[in-house]
Amino acid sequence: MARTILDNIGNTPLVKVESADNDDSANIFAKIEGMNPGGSIKDRIALNMILDAEEKGLLKEGDTIIEPTSGNTGVALAMVAAMTGYKAQLIMPNTTSPEKMKIIKAFGGEVVLIEKNEWGEVKKVIEKIKDRIKNGEKLVLLNQYENKNNPGAHYIQTAEEIIAQMEDLPDPNFFVAGMGTGGTITGVGLRLKEKFPNIKIIGVQPVSGDTIEGLRSLEDFIPPVVNLDLINKIYDLEAKKALEAKDELAKTKGILAGPSSGAAFFISKQLAAENPGATIVTIFPDRGERYL
Ligand SMILES: Cc1ncc(COP(=O)(O)O)c(C=O)c1O
């Protein structure tokens, strides 16, 4: 049977990306999520949340999905919505890259921009959407910040792929993930900790005041999907360092990825330098073309 584009979500490659200054001792393996059809890790959760909402009868043909998103979930929802006959309205900060907005529109999605300050208080953004629904607007909020099918997609899919891809490699000592909703670190972290009980789960968030697109500081808001008990340490990273590491990925590894991939790479390299011989698994969440 012919496979649709949605059947090609996931099964992304795991690539070895040693640090340039420490090539022999570092063992950093990155999952290249930009190779998903919609260009980011968010394809996985968009499909999982939509399938679950359909199963529960919450989403029917012709419905409009509404979602607060830093962009990638918007792209993914617009793509899946285009395939499944829904409309998508995406509420995004005005700092989102123009490319992401154009991609969403190309998939037929509607972009609604809000001020960066307003976006910083995402709890209020979600409340406003819930009020619109209470007041009778026919919208379906999947809510990646609260929806268990966000970490669930990573528990059942992303983590299992990593485990299979690590089969012939040493057991990982660290898992490093940038944190936006916290869905990735929670879903992958939980499954990897079950499989490798000694693994350390490491989060990366922007230092207060800086923007690393896709990431968000827990100082602003602790999303209900995050399981803080799982996380051994969270690093606050300056945006400048994430951007430099993103450029290093393109120029020395041939991987054109986004700023949050740079953030994950920077902290993975730091851990590699501090722990010679350690095996580190990380996630590069999206493609770099959408930040040019
Ligand atoms: C580019 C990028 N990187 C990382 C993340 C963080 O992923 P998560 O929401 O699973 O914490 C996001 C989430 O929006 C993202 O768009």
Side-chain angles (χ1 to χ4, degrees):
M1 203 173 76
R3 286 161 60 83
T4 73
I5 199 73
L6 302 185
D7 297 321
N8 287 288
I9 292 174
N11 288 317
T12 54
L14 186 76
V15 170
K16 190 165 191 220
V17 279
E18 307 92 333
S19 112
D21 37 355
N22 199 9
D23 261 356
D24 292 334
S25 61
N27 293 297
I28 301 172
F29 298 91
K31 197 125 169 84
I32 312 294
E33 289 296 304
M35 293 186 77
N36 278 300
S40 87
I41 193 164
K42 296 294 185 171
D43 287 4
R44 298 174 185 270
I45 73 156
L47 183 59
N48 206 36
M49 292 193 302
I50 286 180
L51 289 177
D52 175 72
E54 284 176 343
E55 228 167 75
K56 290 184 174 141
L58 302 171
L59 195 53
K60 291 176 235 52
E61 214 181 321
D63 278 351
T64 299
I65 295 167
I66 185 163
E67 186 71 19
T69 161
S70 65
N72 280 329
T73 301
V75 171
L77 285 173
M79 178 185 76
V80 181
M83 271 291 298
T84 43
Y86 306 120
K87 298 182 203 77
Q89 188 182 116
L90 296 320
I91 315 287
M92 302 171 23
N94 58 5
T95 48
T96 304
S97 78
E99 288 94 333
K100 279 191 201 159
M101 299 182 206
K102 286 181 192 166
I103 296 167
I104 289 172
K105 289 177 186 164
F107 280 124
E110 182 192 350
V111 171
V112 178
L113 294 181
I114 60 174
E115 292 294 322
K116 186 187 170 195
N117 298 349
E118 201 183 337
W119 177 251
E121 297 189 68
V122 73
K123 227 173 150 172
K124 282 195 192 152
V125 178
I126 294 169
E127 276 163 18
K128 267 193 193 168
I129 296 173
K130 287 182 177 171
D131 282 345
R132 286 175 60 185
I133 295 170
K134 261 192 221 144
N135 291 335
E137 280 192 65
K138 262 194 73 52
L139 301 164
V140 178
L141 172 64
L142 298 170
N143 197 355
Q144 57 176 339
Y145 291 93
E146 289 178 20
N147 194 320
K148 287 194 173 66
N149 298 287
N150 167 7
H154 300 304
Y155 181 86
I156 58 173
Q157 193 186 48
T158 320
E160 290 299 341
E161 290 173 22
I162 292 172
I163 290 167
Q165 287 166 317
M166 296 292 293
E167 201 178 28
D168 300 327
L169 297 166
D171 285 358
N173 305 97
F174 297 96
F175 172 65
V176 178
M179 298 170 66
T181 64
T184 306
I185 196 163
T186 298
V188 175
L190 180 62
R191 183 69 193 106
L192 291 187
K193 219 159 199 169
E194 285 170 358
K195 177 78 182 168
F196 309 108
N198 295 324
I199 196 168
K200 298 268 184 302
I201 308 297
I202 309 293
V204 189
Q205 64 183 12
V207 73
S208 185
D210 274 16
T211 299
I212 301 175
E213 208 168 311
L215 305 190
R216 164 186 285 289
S217 172
L218 290 181
E219 262 182 37
D220 299 340
F221 168 57
I222 301 181
V225 295
V226 183
N227 180 352
L228 286 175
D229 294 341
L230 265 180
I231 304 172
N232 294 95
K233 187 165 180 175
I234 298 175
Y235 286 87
D236 292 336
L237 189 68
E238 289 137 49
K240 188 172 165 280
K241 289 182 177 163
L243 294 174
E244 282 168 7
K246 164 190 80 83
D247 291 344
E248 182 188 333
L249 274 180
K251 295 209 165 81
T252 69
K253 308 294 173 197
I255 299 171
L256 188 61
S260 70
S261 303
F265 185 44
F266 185 94
I267 295 301
S268 297
K269 283 195 302 171
Q270 189 171 310
L271 289 169
E274 290 165 3
N275 301 276
T279 297
I280 298 160
V281 181
T282 189
I283 302 269
F284 292 167
D286 71 354
R287 284 181 204 161
E289 285 92 334
R290 51 193 54 178
Y291 302 96
L292 297 175

